[in-house]
Amino acid sequence: MTWLTSHQLTILVFAPALLGFLLLALPHNLGRLARMLGLMGALAVFVFSLAWLLGHRGAGFILAERAAWFTLVGLPVDYALTVDGLNLWLVLLTTFLVPLTMLGTWTSLKDRMGTFTALFLMLETGMLGALMAQDLFFFYLFWEAMLIPMYFMIGVWGGDERRYAANKFFLYTLAGSLLWLVALLYLANKAGGFNPVLMGQAAALLPFNVQCWLYVAFAVAFAIKVPLFPLHTWLPDAHVQAPTAGSVILAGVLLKLGGYGFIRFAIPMFPQAAMHYAKPLAILSVIAIVYGALVAMVQRDIKKLVAYSSVSHMGFVMLGLASFTVIGTQGAMLQMLNHGISTGALFLLVGMLYDRAHTRMIADFGGVAVKMPVFTAFFFIVTLSSIGLPLTNGFVGEFWILNGTFLSGFSWGRLYACLATSGVLLGAVYMLWMFKRVFWGPENKDEDSGTHHLHSDLNAREVAVMLPIVVLILWMGVHPKTFVAVSEAPVAALLLEAKAPPPRTFVLKPAVHEAPAAPAGHGHAEPAGHAEAQEVHR
Amino acid sequence: MNLTPSQWAALLPLLIPAFGACLIPLMSLDKDQATAKWIRGAMYGTALLAVAASFWYLTDLWTTGAQPSFFQLRMDRLAQFTGIFLLVAAAMTILQSWDHFHQEGWVKGETLSLLLFSVVGMMLFASTTHFALLFLGLELFSIPLYALVGTVRARSESAEGGMKYFLTGAVASSCFLMGGVLIYGLGGSLDLAAAALTLKVHGLALDPLVLTGAALLLLGFLFKVSAVPFHQWTPDAYEASPHPIAGFMSVATKGVAFITLLRIFPGSLAPLSAVGVKLQAVVAVLAVATLVLGNLTALVQTNVKRMLAYSSISHAGYLLLAFVAGTPAAYNGMLYYLVIYLAMNMGAFGLLTAFGLVGEHTTFDDLRGLGWKRPAMGVAAAIFMLSLAGIPPMGGFYGKYMIFRELVSTGHVGMAILGVLASLVSAYYYLRFLVALFLQAPSAEAERLASDRPTVHAPLAGATVLVAAAIVLAGGFLQTFLADGFTRRALVDGLGLLR
């Protein structure tokens, strides 16, 4: 028992894959049993993750396992798993979404359910491992291994263009991570190991241009996963072709790993280079926000629309990170959770619609609200959350990010915040317009139309899947502190380490007296004049 | 002549398979061999027994740590490593060929005999620095292989491939011989290590003749490892030969050539470091060319065996990169990679046998949907292909990792970037194998044809595939055990590197 209690993280990470391998060994005709066992296993992992991780949520909490694993060619590799403020909620999001998705797509697949469930569980191991790994080699293993189950999930159970999409997904991601591997080896060679702290210290001693190159290698690998414009082109294909469960996990967790990689590795290890490249990162983020939204607007396929909205939403995450303010970064952390839940839910809902109507074209629908009122209600709530209506989670994340960008010490902050705000507006346009065309209006009476094939509203199982999501959407919108309290301290430490320019403070005119103004951000309280003088032009 | 026990110990690992190789043709003298199943069984049994006995003997030597020698034949740790490597490959080949030749309807005893002779030749080749023995070993393993490639005489492609391999191989062998003769002529000793020392003492290290000699020796090796531009024989020879033989050639020839290259160039010719530096530059250029050409050509193949042939060319490129880095740790990575490569490639070729693909052309279309029909083979195929592409957590990743890491640490970052880009390209064609196995349904016509054919029965090949998959996975998870316990000790005790 002592082994079990002292290796909780190991159990959480590897239990799903273990179960997955067992399910893979089950005979083909026991697919239903495998699906059931898989769901049970995933639920158990979720329950245990809640019980073990949520217990200690105090300030500065850290749950870690570290042991020497092996030494090859003179570089020690550690078996290091950690859960702390930066990844706690992402880990929980993962363990939450996996069983939920299994249940939500219970009847979507007709064949080879056992294999699919097994791959799904292996994917969960990959994601949890990548989220928890605190040794870059170990992280790299999970990061790459994750591709394998996802490749098969898209390629075998996907849509008509699945082979193309699966290959594109695999090769695109591999391209980034292979170049990153070279950077990793270079730095490990200087640091004598893959411990991120040691590597960060070694990086600090390198010439600045070398640091910049290394940071770019890291950033490109992560930005492909995010995906940041212009490296996003794999995403629409993968999302549209993937089966519903694949899309949910892709949007819900895999994309987060990109943002998480920045905040966990790229920025802390190369703070100077990260600051140096904050402006290009912000530019690309703003382009992603606006471009993603504009492209989403003209989509005819609902799933593709949601996919492009992901590009836009993840652009917000990157903008928050580029702002180098506590509130912006915290907003990015929250936005990652938001996006996981809202977009995951959207993909689930689109999947439910597709299972009934066998089409996802907006033009094939119309008047769905009449036929499926419950579905419409859920879809509406999730839509609002995706738009970022106040009281839903989307609002808080986007507001913090924009706020952080506006207040950031960079000279470009205000302009980019204003530009990015248009993304929120465009988000409302494309979501509501789609909603109007699909759900409102007269019922589409065409024999071939999607609406015509809708015979049943959501059943109890589907409602049970959507309810926790709605609860979370509201909870995160009303009381986001639950989800960001743990990450505040690590984020503040991170920014301090990076020597981020202090956020600007605004004093109402006329300046009354020379006393320090009230802090505008959460972290740094700086005298107003001082902050203005320090505005960074980069 | 009285031999000491130590001398016997050095000789026996070679003598046992040679003896088996002599016995087998005697058994197959019976004309009725096609009908007499027990004769066939006895031949295969003898071959396996010879391989197993030699293997057992070598592992025994390995565990005791003895490094006996018989005059210039040194059964040191590196030679023992090579022997174990070769015997595992030979055992897999024998098991697979039982199934394959039954599918082809072409069971002949001489195949096994030739195979064993080539194993003996390879072991000899890898365990000496004496040029006469080296050449003897080279010919002893090359000539049976020429014959093996053309073994299925009923097919015209087979004869063509065999002839092509033979002619080009003969040129390469004569170049190798010429190189040795030049060094012998100036150095005055057939032992390459002694010759190199003499040349250095007389200040002839950069003599153009010595340089030519070393370059010609290198050419012989590069031909055997099928590095660009000496690679053209590879796809034709692989395509022509039966699947197990192609697997054996891809693994054993390449492996033994690399190990001997290691023994000769950084090992024996170490005194001629000036030559080494020049040749290292050549090797670097050729490695790049091999990577680029091998991978790009593999992309456009429709024939699985040709794809695997070009893939094996590209793997020669990765292994050559270890020589570009030129550190003991890189050589360790190379040996490690060879062990995994043995499992990956024997497994990949074994799959073709296990799936019962016979005939002249094996295209990707023939593989469609087989992964679902034979799930265990499908999983193994996924393991092999992902490992060949270098995706963690498979063993192939660690081989590349070790080599790339040494490249980076010796300042060859550009080469490392090129290497990872090459493996990105390679991922595409390995995925194609998996696409055919899992992502594509067989065409209606193929289904109809398949229902006419008898069901495939290849238990032995299937077993070797599973063993190979287990080795690849072990390479991914027990890397310390393999790298420190096996490959590193071969280097430390065999060549005195990495102490």
Side-chain angles (χ1 to χ4, degrees):
Chain A
M1 277 320 277
T2 47
W3 189 90
L4 284 181
T5 45
S6 60
H7 292 78
Q8 292 169 338
L9 299 183
T10 303
I11 296 170
L12 280 185
V13 170
F14 290 102
L18 209 61
L19 181 60
F21 282 115
L22 289 179
L23 295 186
L24 210 55
L26 276 183
H28 190 241
N29 50 4
L30 291 180
R32 287 164 183 283
L33 175 70
R35 185 175 61 178
M36 186 47 104
L37 286 175
L39 177 68
M40 297 302 210
L43 271 177
V45 169
F46 176 54
V47 169
F48 279 110
S49 68
L50 278 184
W52 285 340
L53 303 181
L54 223 49
H56 11 220
R57 208 160 22 109
F61 105 93
I62 186 164
L63 208 63
E65 285 176 31
R66 186 177 278 274
W69 184 18
F70 66 81
T71 304
L72 269 188
V73 282
L75 291 179
V77 172
D78 282 353
Y79 175 93
L81 295 172
T82 299
V83 171
D84 61 9
L86 286 181
N87 59 8
L88 169 70
W89 285 103
L90 288 170
V91 167
L92 290 177
L93 175 74
T94 310
T95 56
F96 168 69
L97 276 181
V98 170
L100 196 76
T101 310
M102 281 185 179
L103 195 62
T105 57
W106 192 248
T107 52
S108 301
L109 298 179
K110 300 291 174 240
D111 55 344
R112 296 167 187 150
M113 290 177 280
T115 317
F116 188 83
T117 314
L119 287 173
F120 206 169
L121 290 169
M122 291 178 203
L123 182 64
E124 186 177 8
T125 287
M127 296 183 299
L128 288 176
L131 281 171
M132 292 187 198
Q134 263 298 330
D135 177 280
L136 275 156
F137 190 87
F138 203 39
F139 177 77
Y140 184 82
L141 291 186
F142 284 114
W143 178 267
E144 291 275 45
M146 224 163 32
L147 295 181
I148 302 169
M150 199 66 207
Y151 173 78
F152 285 107
M153 283 164 79
I154 299 176
V156 176
W157 290 272
D160 296 334
E161 296 283 316
R162 57 182 188 275
R163 288 195 290 277
Y164 171 75
N167 276 339
K168 192 168 178 180
F169 163 75
F170 194 96
L171 295 172
Y172 221 116
T173 320
L174 192 63
S177 43
L178 279 174
L179 290 174
W180 175 47
L181 178 66
V182 177
L184 210 54
L185 286 174
Y186 184 85
L187 194 56
N189 190 36
K190 303 278 178 207
F194 288 97
N195 186 323
V197 179
L198 294 181
M199 286 174 98
Q201 287 165 359
L205 300 175
L206 291 172
F208 186 64
N209 66 331
V210 177
Q211 280 187 45
C212 285
W213 276 109
L214 293 174
Y215 174 74
V216 168
F218 274 64
V220 168
F222 295 139
I224 286 176
K225 209 62 153 205
V226 167
L228 188 62
F229 178 90
L231 301 171
H232 66 283
T233 52
W234 62 270
L235 180 92
D237 287 307
H239 261 325
V240 173
Q241 297 305 326
T244 303
S247 302
V248 175
I249 291 301
L250 199 56
V253 186
L254 255 64
L255 307 190
K256 307 296 147 341
L257 280 164
Y260 170 75
F262 269 96
I263 207 162
R264 168 70 85 188
F265 297 119
I267 295 175
M269 285 169 68
F270 310 98
Q272 302 314 313
M275 291 286 293
H276 186 68
Y277 284 117
K279 187 174 180 183
L281 195 62
I283 293 176
L284 292 179
S285 310
V286 171
I287 294 178
I289 292 169
V290 177
Y291 168 85
L294 286 175
V295 179
M297 206 168 353
V298 295
Q299 295 305 317
R300 290 178 221 168
D301 183 336
I302 308 176
K303 208 170 177 186
K304 209 161 186 172
L305 184 146
V306 180
Y308 275 105
S309 83
S310 277
V311 176
S312 181
H313 284 152
M314 291 308 288
F316 275 108
V317 172
M318 296 315 296
L319 185 64
L321 294 179
S323 77
F324 283 91
T325 54
V326 173
I327 188 164
T329 314
Q330 285 283 65
M333 297 291 292
L334 188 67
Q335 177 75 355
M336 287 205 269
L337 298 177
N338 291 340
H339 178 259
I341 289 179
S342 313
T343 309
L346 276 176
F347 277 122
L348 274 175
L349 287 166
V350 174
M352 291 170 188
L353 193 65
Y354 181 76
D355 286 346
R356 289 173 169 75
H358 302 290
T359 172
R360 291 185 306 248
M361 293 298 152
I362 295 174
D364 285 342
F365 292 101
V368 174
V370 185
K371 286 209 156 186
M372 298 174 73
V374 182
F375 177 76
T376 309
F378 279 123
F379 206 107
F380 192 61
I381 296 172
V382 176
T383 300
L384 293 182
S385 140
S386 175
I387 294 169
L389 194 80
L391 285 189
T392 64
N393 54 358
F395 171 74
V396 187
E398 285 175 5
F399 180 77
W400 284 359
I401 289 167
L402 293 172
N403 189 5
T405 313
F406 195 83
L407 294 177
S408 78
F410 297 112
S411 57
W412 42 263
R414 271 170 290 191
L415 174 65
Y416 289 4
C418 296
L419 289 175
T421 311
S422 70
V424 183
L425 194 69
L426 290 170
V429 172
Y430 64 75
M431 286 309 288
L432 289 178
W433 191 30
M434 180 270 283
F435 195 85
K436 179 201 146 220
R437 284 179 291 166
V438 172
F439 290 91
W440 301 150
E443 190 182 328
N444 193 336
K445 296 282 186 193
D446 191 351
E447 286 285 305
D448 299 330
S449 75
T451 317
H452 188 74
H453 291 97
L454 300 174
H455 301 303
S456 57
D457 205 342
L458 297 191
N459 56 27
R461 170 181 61 82
E462 286 161 329
V463 172
V465 168
M466 293 314 297
L467 270 181
I469 291 179
V470 169
V471 169
L472 273 175
I473 284 175
L474 294 176
W475 188 347
M476 293 171 78
V478 175
H479 191 71
K481 198 161 186 294
T482 321
F483 301 92
V484 295
V486 283
S487 57
E488 175 135 15
V491 162
L494 179 85
L495 295 178
L496 201 65
E497 187 77 8
K499 299 196 182 64
R504 257 188 284 241
T505 48
F506 293 91
V507 184
L508 287 177
K509 278 182 182 177
V512 192
H513 35 191
E514 297 200 346
H522 280 223
H524 306 276
E526 294 278 349
H530 186 198
E532 284 292 339
Q534 278 209 338
E535 181 173 295
V536 178
H537 288 277
R538 279 203 176 109
Chain B
M1 188 167 73
N2 285 322
L3 297 182
T4 64
S6 158
Q7 288 175 326
W8 274 114
L11 268 182
L12 271 178
L14 280 78
L15 286 184
I16 298 168
F19 183 64
C22 295
L23 271 183
I24 290 166
L26 292 179
M27 293 183 195
S28 61
L29 281 179
D30 188 348
K31 283 274 182 197
D32 286 340
Q33 57 160 314
T35 50
K37 204 168 180 180
W38 63 270
I39 292 186
R40 226 183 286 159
M43 290 187 314
Y44 274 86
T46 312
L48 276 178
L49 204 66
V51 167
S54 178
F55 178 81
W56 175 80
Y57 199 85
L58 278 175
T59 45
D60 198 44
L61 272 185
W62 179 276
T63 43
T64 55
Q67 307 201 64
S69 66
F70 175 77
F71 299 102
Q72 291 293 330
L73 173 74
R74 293 196 198 86
M75 209 23 89
D76 59 12
R77 268 273 163 80
L78 188 63
Q80 293 166 20
F81 169 86
T82 319
I84 293 170
F85 174 85
L86 288 172
L87 292 168
V88 171
M92 286 187 172
T93 311
I94 292 169
L95 290 172
Q96 290 175 8
S97 62
W98 171 269
D99 286 332
H100 181 74
F101 285 121
H102 277 83
Q103 288 162 4
E104 288 257 16
W106 186 273
V107 188
K108 297 278 189 227
E110 68 264 24
T111 324
L112 292 175
S113 177
L114 289 170
L115 186 72
L116 288 182
F117 272 124
S118 82
V119 169
V120 176
M122 286 174 180
M123 282 162 75
L124 183 63
F125 189 57
S127 45
T128 181
T129 57
H130 191 272
F131 184 72
L133 283 185
L134 267 180
F135 190 69
L136 195 67
L138 180 72
E139 291 301 292
L140 186 55
F141 85 74
S142 300
I143 293 171
L145 280 181
Y146 303 143
L148 279 173
V149 169
T151 190
V152 185
R153 291 193 292 274
R155 290 210 304 258
S156 61
E157 278 91 347
S158 187
E160 184 198 328
M163 188 50 96
K164 224 175 213 169
Y165 185 29
F166 170 60
L167 290 176
T168 48
V171 174
S173 290
S174 48
C175 288
F176 186 77
L177 185 60
M178 190 65 212
V181 165
L182 285 176
I183 290 189
Y184 168 60
L186 291 167
S189 166
L190 273 173
D191 186 15
L192 290 176
L197 213 58
T198 316
L199 289 174
K200 192 192 176 195
V201 170
H202 290 84
L204 287 170
L206 273 178
D207 191 275
L209 277 182
V210 174
L211 207 57
T212 316
L216 285 171
L217 279 182
L218 182 66
L219 187 151
F221 286 112
L222 290 178
F223 177 82
K224 288 295 170 200
V225 304
S226 55
V228 172
F230 313 108
H231 67 287
Q232 276 101 344
W233 59 274
T234 319
D236 290 322
Y238 285 12
E239 196 183 2
S241 44
H243 307 324
I245 303 299
F248 180 74
M249 282 185 6
S250 77
V251 168
T253 314
K254 197 182 298 276
V256 103
F258 267 115
I259 292 168
T260 314
L261 182 61
L262 178 63
R263 190 189 280 283
I264 300 301
F265 272 86
S268 305
L269 299 186
L272 304 177
S273 52
V275 177
V277 171
K278 282 200 189 322
L279 290 186
Q280 208 165 15
V282 176
V283 167
V285 173
L286 293 186
V288 170
T290 308
L291 281 174
V292 172
L293 208 101
N295 278 313
L296 291 184
T297 324
L299 277 182
V300 295
Q301 303 301 318
T302 51
N303 184 314
V304 179
K305 272 168 91 179
R306 287 186 86 85
M307 182 279 271
L308 284 173
Y310 282 106
S311 118
S312 106
I313 293 172
S314 74
H315 280 278
Y318 295 118
L319 291 161
L320 278 177
L321 286 180
F323 287 92
V324 177
T327 60
Y331 300 139
N332 190 19
M334 187 194 84
L335 291 186
Y336 184 88
Y337 202 15
L338 279 175
V339 172
I340 304 299
Y341 180 74
L342 160 83
M344 301 188 291
N345 248 31
M346 284 311 296
F349 279 103
L351 275 173
L352 303 182
T353 305
F355 286 138
L357 301 172
V358 292
E360 290 164 11
H361 302 293
T362 316
T363 60
F364 282 106
D365 288 342
D366 297 331
L367 293 171
R368 282 188 178 193
L370 283 176
W372 296 108
K373 273 184 205 149
R374 310 274 302 276
M377 293 298 110
V379 171
I383 292 174
F384 297 139
M385 291 303 139
L386 293 170
S387 177
L388 282 165
I391 310 288
M394 310 302 170
F397 167 72
Y398 288 94
K400 282 183 185 162
Y401 162 71
M402 288 164 86
I403 291 174
F404 289 157
R405 133 96 190 147
E406 284 307 308
L407 275 180
V408 169
S409 74
T410 50
H412 297 89
V413 180
M415 297 287 263
I417 290 177
L418 196 109
V420 296
L421 288 180
S423 66
L424 174 67
V425 173
S426 78
Y428 180 76
Y429 56 81
Y430 294 126
L431 284 181
R432 248 180 91 188
F433 197 96
L434 296 184
V435 165
L437 281 183
F438 292 103
L439 273 52
Q440 284 179 315
S443 61
E445 198 197 342
E447 287 275 23
R448 193 173 49 76
L449 284 175
S451 58
D452 296 344
R453 253 185 258 139
T455 48
V456 180
H457 189 65
L460 295 178
T464 60
V465 166
L466 294 182
V467 169
I471 298 178
V472 174
L473 281 182
F477 291 99
L478 305 171
Q479 54 294 92
T480 335
F481 170 74
L482 253 180
D484 280 354
F486 195 41
T487 58
R488 189 158 179 274
R489 284 172 71 189
L491 274 181
V492 173
D493 298 341
L495 289 185
L497 294 170
L498 253 184
R499 271 192 205 288

